[in-house]
Amino acid sequence: MKRPVYQVVSLLGLCVLMGAASAQAPLLKQWASAVVTRSSEYGADNWGAKQVLGEPNTMAYGDNGTAWAAATKNGVTQSITVSFKEPVYASAVLVRQTYGNGFVRKIFAIDTQGKIYQVWAGKDKTQPNYTVNFIATFPQTPYLVKAVKVVIDPNHNMNTYEEIDAIQLHGVK
Ligand SMILES: [Ca+2]
């Protein structure tokens, strides 16, 4: 006996769906590769914006020149914008905090056309005294992200600088 046509069609449809799910692109995790801009930096080398690039290299909590610090310990809002090698449909940004932790306030994604979108804002509950990889998650962007801007509150800890060692973008190609 022949199967009704609609059953064959629905079976085919199921196979296509399963194929699509198993072929889903893997999550790509990239460390920042270039500084686009920064509001300020404590130094051109130590504590400079370039210190956020690449893999983490600040392994102890404290005031370390291997992390980015703004020019002043406290004051107006600060930010750093970094780009990544592979544009991705992004779903998270990791901000490695190594001093004055708990200071991230907003994160913006910048698409391949240079358009800027706020993707995260909220309470950063990262605790001090340890190096911490703070991860801000958000619904996957429908546009390809090539850069992110991290906005921080330098007054989060009035006794310290607020320092970032590394920034990582999570997404799929
Ligand atoms: Ca501060």
Side-chain angles (χ1 to χ4, degrees):
M1 200 175 107
K2 276 189 170 179
R3 278 174 192 277
V5 170
Y6 69 87
Q7 272 193 10
V8 176
V9 169
S10 62
L11 267 173
L12 274 172
L14 187 63
C15 291
V16 169
L17 276 174
M18 288 170 73
S22 63
Q24 197 172 35
L27 186 68
L28 183 64
K29 296 181 177 182
Q30 304 175 79
W31 296 109
S33 60
V35 175
V36 177
T37 188
R38 75 285 183 277
S39 55
S40 72
E41 60 189 5
Y42 185 79
D45 186 5
N46 286 340
W47 293 283
K50 68 179 183 182
Q51 296 294 340
V52 306
L53 302 180
E55 293 180 10
N57 66 340
T58 304
M59 298 306 159
Y61 180 83
D63 190 17
N64 296 297
T66 50
W68 169 66
T72 55
K73 187 184 279 187
N74 305 314
V76 298
T77 298
Q78 300 280 343
S79 67
I80 188 163
T81 304
V82 290
S83 63
F84 301 83
K85 285 206 173 79
E86 297 275 2
V88 291
Y89 298 104
S91 55
V93 172
L94 178 157
V95 180
R96 183 174 168 82
Q97 303 181 30
T98 55
Y99 200 33
N101 295 3
F103 50 74
V104 177
R105 292 296 174 267
K106 288 179 184 174
I107 296 178
F108 295 86
I110 298 158
D111 73 12
T112 49
Q113 309 301 315
K115 196 171 172 190
I116 186 162
Y117 307 80
Q118 183 175 305
V119 288
W120 185 87
K123 285 208 168 76
D124 171 4
K125 295 176 181 168
T126 307
Q127 296 299 302
N129 305 319
Y130 299 93
T131 60
V132 177
N133 293 339
F134 168 70
I135 301 177
T137 61
F138 42 86
Q140 185 177 296
T141 61
Y143 46 86
L144 285 168
V145 175
K146 68 162 188 185
V148 301
K149 177 181 184 180
V150 177
V151 176
I152 73 162
D153 176 9
N155 300 326
H156 177 67
N157 186 330
M158 299 301 280
N159 298 316
T160 71
Y161 283 81
E162 282 70 12
E163 301 186 1
I164 296 176
D165 176 42
I167 298 173
Q168 189 182 58
L169 179 64
H170 297 184
V172 295
K173 286 211 258 182

